Structures are given as structure tokens and as C-alpha cells.
Amino acid sequence: MSQDQQPCVVGVSPWLPWPLGGWPWWTEPVPGQRLAMLRIGLGLCMLLDICLGIAPFTLDYFGKGELGDPAVFAWRFSTPRSYWSLLRGFDEDVMIYLSLATFFLTTLWLFGNSLARLLLIRHNPPVQDRSGVALALWVGSLTWYVCGLWARMFKAGQPDDLAWIVPLIGAGLCLVLLALEVLLNGRDATERVPWLALGLAFFFLVALTVFGRRFVLMKDYDQTAWWMPFFRSWQENDALLMTAMGLWIASIALMLLGCCTRLAVVLTWMLSVSFDSINSYLGNAGDTIRIILLLYLMLSPCGAAWSVDAWWKKRPGPVFVHPWPIRLLFVQMILIYFMNGLYKACGTAWLDGSSLHFVLGDVALARFSQAWLPLAPIVIRLLTWSVLAWELTFPVLVLWNWPRRFALFFGVMFHLGIWATMELGPFAPYALCMYLPLLPWERLRRRSSRAA
Amino acid sequence: MSLATPPRPQSPRQVILGLFIVGQLAFLLLSNLLGFVQWFNSTYVAEWGPLVQRVAPRFAEEKGHGWQWCEQLEKPMRTWTQLTLQDQAWSLFAPNPGTETGFPGLLLSDKADDSGRHNWTHLFDAQIGHHVLAPEPTSDVVLLSDNEPADIREFFRMGTYRVRRYEGTMYITTRRSTVKNEPGQVPEERLETPDELAQRLTRRTHKLASDYRESTLAYMKWRLKAWRQAHPDEKMPAQVILFQRSYRIHQLDEPPGWDGPFVVPILRWRPQAGQADANVVLDSYDFMQHRFVPVN
């Protein structure tokens, strides 16, 4: 293999304790196409689901005075629950605390990194691990917190000096961070000072301070001002709600194409959680699977192959990624089927074989009338028992090669069967997405290379 | 002396990612396991309680160290579940699928009525439970669910699933449930008596008018708004009644088919112009008194 064709492993290699660290299943990199296909499959399913099933009814499902009126789901956002949504507004309690927690953690991360390197510069310092993402998160969380303070101030109609003091403290911390970086550069010239990133952050926080001061001096807050809806729940304003929906669709499209992949997947995840949280009565297990898949994609280099980002970077050799997202997903898959089997084994209808008769006969769930496809009782019983047996034995079947292929094939047929006979929305497509990283998509690349 | 370079230390990012993986793995295993153990313990306490008590002292009573540890473990996992919205309750059509089904509907009536009584015939069927029969003909407007097929023997459905999920939150199980007899009595289990069923249904409609007041009211308002937009010349109804049309699915050993629909009243809302949502009082149907009663 030439130097150009050397395999390249993309992404952070996680530190894993024993026994995971010594287990090749958890540590041996896998072709990047596996994660890429999960990203593409999920993106396609989401585009169809959101564009056809949710976006046309955005105001009906999430708008004020409609099915998802903020008052209907207010219970989800009050203590002791920790649900959150960007669309509930800046001043929602849980969002205030989440932004504060993110701010403190990223402050520790940024200062910890700089200080550790500064103090240990001549004594085996830790590896450079400063991340641009941390600074963006730091500024983003502080901005959210400040907007929350402003929203509360506008709602109460009382000026609050914290509105400009907090961003001023942020700007001060930014200067301290810059000073640490300059010191570090003074002691070791190879250390680069991130002038642009820190400079932008500083001027942004100064701008927030100026705005905050101006808001405090205003004293009288015109509730009809054009910018006021921005500081209330976005559900109360149709234009803002539709903007958020548009942003969600755009982020899914970017994720599908693999363009600015990390940012696109993070945005898709945040908006998915936000929309699902403000009307939790619309979703089912399929939507939960979607959120779980997005969580893993968000933290992994899913744009390493078959993406605009990969095309831009022009990596010459085969691309590999660390296998942890696929392994966690596989464990999740095992638990989904096994737990389903366990709960079913406690019921009488699954044991006596009549369960699928009632499932298919449920006129609220069925895709078509059971009268069109009357199955003999023995067929119903065999189908019911086979589903129960497959779910209960799934964790064992996947241990060996051939039984694993059978179990996965049965699973695909099971979900296709559900999709054909039941109207459970996007449950079957999202569940089938879990199977995508298990297929050897990299062979397509090899085949096309050979053909070329 | 070895000249090999010491292994490169793990970076904080690698450690944090590793901790996330281990934590997520533990979360997946524990939340699924604990969820099942707690559900099993509370559901099958009568059958398995004595054995559970022998294996894990006081666990079946939901007390003792074991139960307390489970609850302590469950708390952070619940927070993680809610923050990341990855609910680990995997039980599709389990432990048993429903043997009946139903759709909500609205009845828009012009008649102002304070008594809460309607000119309905009350019926009880051993297999269906309580339901009512309205006199025909009537000037009332009936809005059926968009999900309810015009003919349950001839339909094909694509979409409309999300509203069906929402409607499912208002569903009431009208058929008689199995209840335990007093210890020592034979048989151990029996079906609810008509009075017991009426009490249970009354509790459920009361709950829909109190605990689920906002979502049921939002649904009724949403349907009414759509109807008024389609019929701008019609005046605001004096009463909006939420009801359920239930169907019993035949048993596997019966000829294939369904019984129904059977109409079951649930709630009543009397819309008043300009009334704030917070001041709206819903009336829940009382199956003992056969009338709507206000729920404060």
C-alpha cells in the first residue's frame, strides 16, 4: 500500500477501562462508511418524517392555543423533572440552569487546560487538548444565560444590573484567558495564541454588556416592540416557531449531505429534543430511537466518509472510525428486543398466541382492515410465538455469526411487517436505521475502486 | 534500562469520552433492568410477592435497603433520561395488547343545560361495559375522529398517526377488568361488578377533567376551532361533549370481526365567549349518577 493509501482513523480514541479497553470489539476501528450510512439513512428518514408528518402541522402541534399549547406541557419543565426545550424561551428554569452548568464546566475546561500547560510547560505537560468547540460552548452558554436574565427583566418590568454585569464578567474572563495564552506563548513559542477566536469572543461579550446596560437604562419595556417575542417562548410567535422548524429541516439536510456535519448533527439533536419535549403526546418509541441515534452521531465523526466534509478534506486512503457508537447502538438494540420480550412473556396473550390477532385487529392502529387479510388462528399463534421467541433469544443469537445473521434478518422482516400492517408512524423506518451500521457498506467502495 | 518512550498519557478529551461510553453503557443496562424489576414487583406482588420477600427482604413492600438502593440509583438515571430524552421503556404491545379499541369524538349541542343530564339511554353489556344510546334524530353536530374509518371493514390508512397518539391520551378502557377476591375466597380472581366498573370509569373521567385538563381542553378547542373555521355561519355551541366510540375486537376463537361502536361519554365543556382557559371548568361524566358533574 502506498503512503497515500494508508488507512486513516478519524475521531477521538476513547480511554476505556478494563475489560472494554482490552476487548477488540470495542477498540478495533471500523470503516467510516458504517457510521456514514447511519447518518445518511437517518437523515433521509427524518427528512421524510418531518417534512411530511410534522412541518405542515407545525402550528397545530406546537403553537399557542393549539394541541401543544405551552400550558399543556408546563408540567414537564417544572421540578423535579429535567426536560428542556430551546423553544420554551430563554427564561425557562431548566434552561437557565443548563446554561449555567455548561458555562461552569467549559470555564473549568478552558482555564484548566491553559493553566496545566503553563505550570507544567517544562515538566512533561499534558497533550494540547484545547478545543475550539469548548470556547464556542462557553460563549454560547453565557449568551443564553444573559438572554435569560434579560427575558426575566422584561417580563418583570424591573431593571436588573445583572443584565450587564454578567456579560462584563464574561468579557473579563476572556481577557484573563487571552493573557494566559500569551504567557504560554512567551514560555514556549510553539504554542499558538488563538487571537481571532478569543478576540471575537471578547468583542461579542462586550457587545452583550453594552446591550445589557442599554436595556437597564431603558427602564420602560414596550411589550409590543418587534424584538420582544424573541425573549418569550417561541411557541407564542408563529413566525419564530416556523423559523425554528425551517432551521430543523435545514440542519437535517446538512446532516444528510455531511456538510458542517458536527454542527448540523448537534443542531438536529437539539431541535429534535426541543420539538419532542414541547408536545410529548405526538411521539412513540420510533422518536426515542431517533433521538438516541442522533446522540451517538453527534458525538462521533459520522462525517468522516461519504460527506461533503470528507470530499473537502480529500483523505486519500480508507477512512476508519472508532467503533464505540456502533457498539453502544448494538447494546441498545439487544436491550430493546430483549426487554420487549421480557415484558411480553409476563402477559397471557403472548403466551397463548392470541396477541397478534388483537394487534392486527386494532382498527385505531392497523394500516388496513383485518377483514382484508383474515389469518387462520394457527398462523396467528405461530407468528405471535415466533416474535416472542426471537425477542427473548436475541441476546444469545447475536453471539455467533450465523445465528446473528438469522436474528438480524428476522428483525428486518419484523419491522417491515410492522410497517406494512400497522400505522405506527416512523417507528419502523427509525428502527431499521439501527441495522444500517451493521452492514459492510465499505465493500461498495472497494467494488467501485476495482471497477474503476 | 529500557530506552522505550513512556506511553503517551490520555488526553482529557479521551478520558471524558471514555467516561461517557462507560456511563452510557451502565445507564442502558441499569435503567432497563431496574425498570423491569420495579414494574414486575408492583404488578405481580400478589403472585410473586412471597417469593420476592424471601429472596430480598421487604422488597415486595417497596421498602428496605434493596428498594431504597434501586430508588437512589434510579434518580440520576431518570435525570439523564430526561436531559437526553432517551426513555428506556421498551414494551410494544406488552405485557398484553388491548382487546378493545376506540376513538374520541365531539358532540356539539345548542342546548344550554345546567343539570348535566342528557336524554340518553344507559346500557350495560357484560363484554362491553357501560355505554349510552342517544335518541334519533337530533340537531346536535357530531365530529368523529379523523382516524376513525368510515367502515372498519374497508379502510386503508397512511399518516394521521401523530394526532392518533394525542387522542390516545384520552382513551378510557370501558370493558370490565379482572380484580382480586379477598384472600381465601375461590376463585382468586373475578370480573368487576357493574358498580365497580362505573366507579372506575368515573375516577378515570374525573382524572381526565382534572390531571389531564389542559390536554383534553386543548384537543376539544382545537377540534371546535377547525369546525368553526369550516362553518363560519354556525354559532358557538352551548355544550361540547367529548365521548369515545369503542369497538370490541372479537376473540381469536370467535368469528373474525368487531362489536361496536359503543358510545361512552367522557367530559363536557361549556364554552363561553372571552373566557380565559384558567377559568374553564370541565364537567366529567359520573357513571353512577348518569350525569356530568363539575370538576374544580
Side-chain angles (χ1 to χ4, degrees), chain A residues 148-161:
Chain A
L149 288 175
W150 293 353
R152 286 179 175 218
M153 186 171 76
F154 299 147
K155 199 182 270 179
Q158 292 281 329
D160 183 351
D161 283 331

PDB file of all heavy atoms in Angstrom, chain A residues 148-161:
ATOM      1  N   GLY A 148     -31.498  34.971  29.176  1.00  0.00           N
ATOM      2  CA  GLY A 148     -32.464  34.562  30.194  1.00  0.00           C
ATOM      3  C   GLY A 148     -32.673  35.668  31.222  1.00  0.00           C
ATOM      4  O   GLY A 148     -33.804  35.958  31.630  1.00  0.00           O
ATOM      5  N   LEU A 149     -31.557  36.303  31.641  1.00  0.00           N
ATOM      6  CA  LEU A 149     -31.654  37.418  32.591  1.00  0.00           C
ATOM      7  C   LEU A 149     -32.447  38.573  31.988  1.00  0.00           C
ATOM      8  O   LEU A 149     -33.300  39.173  32.649  1.00  0.00           O
ATOM      9  CB  LEU A 149     -30.247  37.919  32.959  1.00  0.00           C
ATOM     10  CG  LEU A 149     -29.388  37.028  33.849  1.00  0.00           C
ATOM     11  CD1 LEU A 149     -27.994  37.631  34.004  1.00  0.00           C
ATOM     12  CD2 LEU A 149     -30.024  36.878  35.229  1.00  0.00           C
ATOM     13  N   TRP A 150     -32.178  38.838  30.720  1.00  0.00           N
ATOM     14  CA  TRP A 150     -32.897  39.933  30.044  1.00  0.00           C
ATOM     15  C   TRP A 150     -34.384  39.601  29.939  1.00  0.00           C
ATOM     16  O   TRP A 150     -35.227  40.452  30.183  1.00  0.00           O
ATOM     17  CB  TRP A 150     -32.332  40.151  28.632  1.00  0.00           C
ATOM     18  CG  TRP A 150     -30.941  40.670  28.607  1.00  0.00           C
ATOM     19  CD1 TRP A 150     -30.196  41.083  29.669  1.00  0.00           C
ATOM     20  CD2 TRP A 150     -30.111  40.831  27.451  1.00  0.00           C
ATOM     21  NE1 TRP A 150     -28.948  41.475  29.268  1.00  0.00           N
ATOM     22  CE2 TRP A 150     -28.866  41.336  27.893  1.00  0.00           C
ATOM     23  CE3 TRP A 150     -30.270  40.595  26.099  1.00  0.00           C
ATOM     24  CZ2 TRP A 150     -27.810  41.604  27.029  1.00  0.00           C
ATOM     25  CZ3 TRP A 150     -29.233  40.866  25.232  1.00  0.00           C
ATOM     26  CH2 TRP A 150     -28.010  41.371  25.687  1.00  0.00           C
ATOM     27  N   ALA A 151     -34.689  38.352  29.575  1.00  0.00           N
ATOM     28  CA  ALA A 151     -36.100  37.952  29.422  1.00  0.00           C
ATOM     29  C   ALA A 151     -36.852  38.126  30.740  1.00  0.00           C
ATOM     30  O   ALA A 151     -37.988  38.607  30.762  1.00  0.00           O
ATOM     31  CB  ALA A 151     -36.173  36.507  28.942  1.00  0.00           C
ATOM     32  N   ARG A 152     -36.198  37.748  31.838  1.00  0.00           N
ATOM     33  CA  ARG A 152     -36.838  37.892  33.156  1.00  0.00           C
ATOM     34  C   ARG A 152     -37.056  39.367  33.491  1.00  0.00           C
ATOM     35  O   ARG A 152     -38.072  39.742  34.080  1.00  0.00           O
ATOM     36  CB  ARG A 152     -35.976  37.241  34.233  1.00  0.00           C
ATOM     37  CG  ARG A 152     -36.076  35.753  34.142  1.00  0.00           C
ATOM     38  CD  ARG A 152     -35.244  35.022  35.137  1.00  0.00           C
ATOM     39  NE  ARG A 152     -35.574  33.607  34.963  1.00  0.00           N
ATOM     40  CZ  ARG A 152     -35.681  32.747  35.945  1.00  0.00           C
ATOM     41  NH1 ARG A 152     -35.464  33.117  37.166  1.00  0.00           N
ATOM     42  NH2 ARG A 152     -35.997  31.501  35.696  1.00  0.00           N
ATOM     43  N   MET A 153     -36.065  40.160  33.119  1.00  0.00           N
ATOM     44  CA  MET A 153     -36.143  41.595  33.389  1.00  0.00           C
ATOM     45  C   MET A 153     -37.302  42.219  32.610  1.00  0.00           C
ATOM     46  O   MET A 153     -38.087  42.991  33.162  1.00  0.00           O
ATOM     47  CB  MET A 153     -34.805  42.219  32.973  1.00  0.00           C
ATOM     48  CG  MET A 153     -34.632  43.662  33.306  1.00  0.00           C
ATOM     49  SD  MET A 153     -32.927  44.169  32.993  1.00  0.00           S
ATOM     50  CE  MET A 153     -32.922  44.299  31.212  1.00  0.00           C
ATOM     51  N   PHE A 154     -37.444  41.823  31.351  1.00  0.00           N
ATOM     52  CA  PHE A 154     -38.529  42.374  30.527  1.00  0.00           C
ATOM     53  C   PHE A 154     -39.892  41.929  31.060  1.00  0.00           C
ATOM     54  O   PHE A 154     -40.836  42.702  31.084  1.00  0.00           O
ATOM     55  CB  PHE A 154     -38.390  41.928  29.062  1.00  0.00           C
ATOM     56  CG  PHE A 154     -37.107  42.379  28.405  1.00  0.00           C
ATOM     57  CD1 PHE A 154     -36.481  41.592  27.445  1.00  0.00           C
ATOM     58  CD2 PHE A 154     -36.529  43.593  28.757  1.00  0.00           C
ATOM     59  CE1 PHE A 154     -35.308  41.998  26.842  1.00  0.00           C
ATOM     60  CE2 PHE A 154     -35.346  44.008  28.151  1.00  0.00           C
ATOM     61  CZ  PHE A 154     -34.729  43.207  27.205  1.00  0.00           C
ATOM     62  N   LYS A 155     -39.949  40.666  31.495  1.00  0.00           N
ATOM     63  CA  LYS A 155     -41.222  40.134  31.983  1.00  0.00           C
ATOM     64  C   LYS A 155     -41.650  40.855  33.263  1.00  0.00           C
ATOM     65  O   LYS A 155     -42.800  41.232  33.426  1.00  0.00           O
ATOM     66  CB  LYS A 155     -41.087  38.630  32.248  1.00  0.00           C
ATOM     67  CG  LYS A 155     -42.424  37.921  32.311  1.00  0.00           C
ATOM     68  CD  LYS A 155     -42.253  36.446  32.612  1.00  0.00           C
ATOM     69  CE  LYS A 155     -42.107  35.622  31.355  1.00  0.00           C
ATOM     70  NZ  LYS A 155     -41.911  34.187  31.656  1.00  0.00           N
ATOM     71  N   ALA A 156     -40.658  41.044  34.161  1.00  0.00           N
ATOM     72  CA  ALA A 156     -40.971  41.684  35.439  1.00  0.00           C
ATOM     73  C   ALA A 156     -41.136  43.198  35.285  1.00  0.00           C
ATOM     74  O   ALA A 156     -41.742  43.846  36.137  1.00  0.00           O
ATOM     75  CB  ALA A 156     -39.861  41.387  36.443  1.00  0.00           C
ATOM     76  N   GLY A 157     -40.585  43.771  34.211  1.00  0.00           N
ATOM     77  CA  GLY A 157     -40.654  45.217  34.009  1.00  0.00           C
ATOM     78  C   GLY A 157     -39.750  45.971  34.962  1.00  0.00           C
ATOM     79  O   GLY A 157     -39.924  47.168  35.174  1.00  0.00           O
ATOM     80  N   GLN A 158     -38.796  45.277  35.590  1.00  0.00           N
ATOM     81  CA  GLN A 158     -37.882  45.885  36.567  1.00  0.00           C
ATOM     82  C   GLN A 158     -36.449  45.787  36.059  1.00  0.00           C
ATOM     83  O   GLN A 158     -35.980  44.680  35.779  1.00  0.00           O
ATOM     84  CB  GLN A 158     -37.963  45.114  37.895  1.00  0.00           C
ATOM     85  CG  GLN A 158     -39.268  45.244  38.643  1.00  0.00           C
ATOM     86  CD  GLN A 158     -39.368  46.559  39.396  1.00  0.00           C
ATOM     87  OE1 GLN A 158     -38.350  47.101  39.834  1.00  0.00           O
ATOM     88  NE2 GLN A 158     -40.567  47.087  39.511  1.00  0.00           N
ATOM     89  N   PRO A 159     -35.724  46.919  35.934  1.00  0.00           N
ATOM     90  CA  PRO A 159     -34.320  46.835  35.507  1.00  0.00           C
ATOM     91  C   PRO A 159     -33.489  46.040  36.506  1.00  0.00           C
ATOM     92  O   PRO A 159     -33.742  46.092  37.710  1.00  0.00           O
ATOM     93  CB  PRO A 159     -33.862  48.291  35.473  1.00  0.00           C
ATOM     94  CG  PRO A 159     -35.098  49.111  35.538  1.00  0.00           C
ATOM     95  CD  PRO A 159     -36.137  48.294  36.209  1.00  0.00           C
ATOM     96  N   ASP A 160     -32.534  45.289  35.993  1.00  0.00           N
ATOM     97  CA  ASP A 160     -31.687  44.467  36.858  1.00  0.00           C
ATOM     98  C   ASP A 160     -30.236  44.617  36.371  1.00  0.00           C
ATOM     99  O   ASP A 160     -29.930  44.295  35.220  1.00  0.00           O
ATOM    100  CB  ASP A 160     -32.147  43.003  36.741  1.00  0.00           C
ATOM    101  CG  ASP A 160     -31.376  42.087  37.672  1.00  0.00           C
ATOM    102  OD1 ASP A 160     -30.380  42.551  38.277  1.00  0.00           O
ATOM    103  OD2 ASP A 160     -31.762  40.907  37.777  1.00  0.00           O
ATOM    104  N   ASP A 161     -29.371  45.109  37.260  1.00  0.00           N
ATOM    105  CA  ASP A 161     -27.979  45.385  36.863  1.00  0.00           C
ATOM    106  C   ASP A 161     -27.215  44.137  36.430  1.00  0.00           C
ATOM    107  O   ASP A 161     -26.201  44.235  35.738  1.00  0.00           O
ATOM    108  CB  ASP A 161     -27.234  46.085  38.008  1.00  0.00           C
ATOM    109  CG  ASP A 161     -27.628  47.558  38.073  1.00  0.00           C
ATOM    110  OD1 ASP A 161     -27.967  48.117  37.016  1.00  0.00           O
ATOM    111  OD2 ASP A 161     -27.617  48.138  39.177  1.00  0.00           O
TER     112      ASP A 161
END
